[in-house]
Amino acid sequence: NVAKVAWNGAFEATDNIEKIAFDPKLFFIPGTRFANISVSGINAIGPDTNTPTFVDLKSLQFIDNVTWSHGGHNVKTGLSVTHYMNDQDSSFDFGGNYAFTSLENFLQNRPGTYEGQAPGSTTARQWRQSLIGLYAQDDWSAKRNLTLNLGVRYEFITTPHELSGREASMPDLQAASTVSGGPIFINPSLTNVAPRGGFAWDMTGDGRNALHGGAGLFFEPI
């Protein structure tokens, strides 16, 4: 029996540092930051509204493999469980973003579009998901000159869920709006049963002429 435990982590953060402190009275959205104003043909005013962001990725993995030999059988079986923890904040239009199609429209305060997060909303999320795999295989010496390899693997990944329930999905492409809550999609990996088989045949029995073959069904994890 061989057991393994692994822990991995990666962190990345991005932010824009403002050299000048802006009067909060100028904020389009209270409690955020100075916004961005873009006018067609002129350099934009204000910071990048797609920051701050951070991604904190962590995973905990447990693997256990057992090998058992008896007679003409060499059986291998195992379990792998990986739990993914993805804490992130991918800000967009933080503080707001006004866009004007011309200088004339800007001077007359006629914006073409405005984008911004609703007050009190957040793009911070804590996603959790697990990848689970099970397998069993038997290398069976059926005869002195014939070995059969028979096995199956079942591996699936759970539907992502957000710890605070801040998730939503589009039911279909024609839907008028999103639907709050999970699951965010129908999980196709729950049916990922992957059989495989193979053989090695010493056709003449003297080790000089061997025929090998095999086939299997395999799935890429979501």
Side-chain angles (χ1 to χ4, degrees):
N1 184 79
V2 177
K4 300 178 181 179
V5 177
W7 170 265
N8 291 281
F11 180 83
E12 178 184 357
T14 305
D15 199 0
N16 284 289
I17 305 300
E18 299 172 356
K19 295 183 178 180
I20 300 175
F22 294 95
D23 188 342
K25 295 179 181 179
L26 299 175
F27 293 177
F28 298 150
I29 305 175
T32 57
R33 69 191 309 171
F34 188 71
N36 184 279
I37 301 174
S38 61
V39 181
S40 180
I42 302 176
N43 291 337
I45 302 171
D48 180 4
T49 58
N50 293 322
T51 62
T53 66
F54 77 86
V55 178
D56 185 7
L57 301 175
K58 300 179 290 291
S59 67
L60 176 63
Q61 184 178 41
F62 172 77
I63 300 175
D64 190 76
N65 293 296
V66 176
T67 302
W68 177 73
S69 297
H70 181 74
H73 295 272
N74 185 40
V75 178
K76 297 179 181 179
T77 184
L79 165 70
S80 173
V81 179
T82 306
H83 183 58
Y84 297 99
M85 295 155 277
N86 180 5
D87 298 340
Q88 64 181 45
D89 189 351
S90 301
S91 298
F92 57 93
D93 296 322
F94 186 63
N97 187 344
Y98 272 108
F100 296 85
T101 57
S102 67
L103 179 59
E104 178 183 357
N105 286 334
F106 171 67
L107 295 176
Q108 298 185 45
N109 194 28
R110 296 186 305 202
T113 60
Y114 170 77
E115 297 178 352
Q117 297 182 30
S121 65
T122 176
T123 53
R125 296 293 185 270
Q126 294 177 296
W127 293 103
R128 298 295 182 267
Q129 191 175 24
S130 296
L131 178 65
I132 301 171
L134 304 163
Y135 80 92
Q137 179 170 317
D138 184 10
D139 297 326
W140 174 33
S141 297
K143 295 183 178 181
R144 185 182 61 82
N145 63 335
L146 177 64
T147 299
L148 300 177
N149 314 109
L150 305 172
V152 63
R153 182 175 184 86
Y154 178 49
E155 185 173 71
F156 66 93
I157 193 163
T158 61
T159 306
H161 71 278
E162 207 279 327
L163 290 183
S164 301
R166 295 181 296 212
E167 54 196 45
S169 61
M170 290 287 288
D172 56 70
L173 295 179
Q174 286 75 39
S177 62
T178 58
V179 177
S180 299
I184 58 176
F185 59 76
I186 298 175
N187 191 343
S189 73
L190 297 179
T191 59
N192 285 1
V193 178
R196 72 278 310 269
F199 69 91
W201 176 32
D202 183 359
M203 295 184 293
T204 55
D206 56 8
R208 295 184 178 183
N209 298 280
L211 181 64
H212 298 262
L217 183 64
F218 303 90
F219 295 89
E220 285 286 347
I222 300 175

